[in-house]
Amino acid sequence: MSMDSEGSAGGRKEKGSERADAGGHLRRRDSTIRLLSRNLSNAFTETNITLVVSILTLLSTVILQTWYTIVTQNSHYVSTFNALHTEYASPEMLDAFDVVEDFIIEHGVEHYTDVFMSLKKNKKRKEVSKIDHARRRVVHWYGKTCLFWKKGLIPADLLMSFPGERKAKYFLRNFEPLEEANRMIYGANLDVEVFRCLRELSVPALLRLNLQFSQISRISRIDFIFQRGRRIPSTNT
C-alpha cells in the first residue's frame, strides 16, 4: 500500500510539474505576443506618422508648384498682352489705321477696293504704297495676335477684352476686302488664317461677318476684266 501511495504521489507531482511547465510556456508565449504586438503597434504608429508627414509634404509641394505655375503663367499673359496693347497704340499703328480710313472715306465704301486694285494693277507705286504698307502692318499685328492665342501664350478672355469684338469687326470689314483684292491681283493664295482665327476667337456675330457681298461682286467683276486684258478707267482724283 505504501508503495502504491508513493507511486501515486509521484505521478501527481509529475503531472503538477507538467502543468506548471505548460502554464509557464503559456505565460511566456502570452508575454512574447504582447511584446510583439506592442512593438508592431509602435512600428505602425511611427510608419503612419512618417507616411502622413510624407503625404503632407507632397501635397504642399504640389500646391506651391501649382501656385507658382499659375502666377508665372499669368505674369507671362500680362506681359504679352501689354506688349500687344502697346504696339496697337503705337504711332505707326495709329497712322496705318488713319491711312486706311482716309482711303475709304476718299473713295467710298463701295469703291475703295476698286481703286486699290486699279492702282496696283497699273503699278502706281507712289499712290498705292502708303495704303499697302498700312494694310500689311495691321494684318501683321492681328496675325501675330492670333498666333499667340493658338500657341497658348495669351488666353481668349484677354483678347475678348482687347482688341475685342468691335475692333475685330472693324478689321474684318475694312481690311479683308483689301487682302482679297491683293490676292486677285497677284494670283496668290490669300492667307485667310488671320481672318478665320478672329472668327473662331470672337463671338458668334463675327462668325456671320463675311466679306461685304457688294465688294466681292465688284472684285470678281474687276478680276474678270483683268483676265480679259481690259483696263479699268483711271480713278485719279
Side-chain angles (χ1 to χ4, degrees):
M1 291 290 295
S2 62
M3 294 192 60
D4 290 338
S5 176
E6 290 177 0
S8 176
R12 284 195 296 272
K13 287 181 180 180
E14 290 179 358
K15 289 180 180 179
S17 177
E18 290 177 357
R19 290 194 191 96
D21 291 341
H25 285 305
L26 288 174
R27 285 192 296 273
R28 285 194 296 273
R29 187 183 65 181
D30 291 341
S31 177
T32 303
I33 291 174
R34 285 195 297 272
L35 179 62
L36 287 174
S37 298
R38 190 162 50 250
N39 290 338
L40 287 174
S41 178
N42 292 336
F44 281 131
T45 301
E46 293 176 358
T47 301
N48 288 339
I49 292 174
T50 303
L51 181 61
V52 169
V53 171
S54 299
I55 292 175
L56 291 176
T57 302
L58 178 61
L59 287 176
S60 63
T61 301
V62 171
I63 292 172
L64 288 175
Q65 184 64 35
T66 303
W67 177 81
Y68 176 78
T69 301
I70 293 174
V71 170
T72 303
Q73 189 176 50
N74 288 338
S75 176
H76 184 74
Y77 287 162
V78 171
S79 177
T80 304
F81 181 78
N82 183 62
L84 290 173
H85 191 280
T86 300
E87 183 179 355
Y88 190 93
S90 66
E92 293 80 9
M93 279 288 289
L94 297 179
D95 288 344
F97 283 117
D98 288 342
V99 167
V100 174
E101 288 177 358
D102 291 344
F103 190 80
I104 294 174
I105 291 172
E106 179 181 356
H107 300 289
V109 174
E110 296 295 328
H111 302 286
Y112 77 98
T113 51
D114 297 2
V115 177
F116 178 74
M117 292 182 71
S118 175
L119 292 174
K120 297 205 77 170
K121 187 66 178 179
N122 295 324
K123 298 181 180 180
K124 296 184 177 181
R125 302 183 184 278
K126 184 177 180 180
E127 293 87 343
V128 79
S129 61
K130 196 172 183 180
I131 180 69
D132 206 24
H133 291 169
R135 171 190 64 83
R136 292 177 183 177
R137 178 179 291 277
V138 177
V139 171
H140 173 75
W141 184 90
Y142 274 96
K144 179 167 59 177
T145 301
C146 284
L147 179 62
F148 286 169
W149 170 59
K150 286 184 175 294
K151 295 297 183 181
L153 299 177
I154 191 169
D157 57 341
L158 285 180
L159 296 181
M160 286 302 297
S161 62
F162 181 83
E165 177 186 352
R166 186 175 62 84
K167 288 182 172 61
K169 281 183 176 180
Y170 170 85
F171 171 73
L172 289 169
R173 185 177 293 112
N174 295 324
F175 285 83
E176 191 171 12
L178 292 176
E179 286 294 300
E180 178 68 15
N182 195 62
R183 180 195 70 81
M184 289 184 174
I185 292 171
Y186 295 108
N189 292 328
L190 175 66
D191 185 9
V192 298
E193 184 62 30
V194 60
F195 306 107
R196 185 187 299 116
C197 166
L198 285 177
R199 290 186 171 94
E200 291 175 358
L201 177 63
S202 302
V203 295
L206 287 185
L207 296 174
R208 300 189 295 269
L209 182 62
N210 296 317
L211 283 170
Q212 300 174 43
F213 292 108
S214 60
Q215 290 189 355
I216 283 293
S217 62
R218 294 177 65 81
I219 290 174
S220 300
R221 178 177 59 82
I222 294 172
D223 185 60
F224 176 78
I225 292 173
F226 281 151
Q227 291 178 3
R228 293 282 183 171
R230 295 172 58 185
R231 176 174 175 164
I232 294 179
S234 175
T235 55
N236 290 338
T237 56

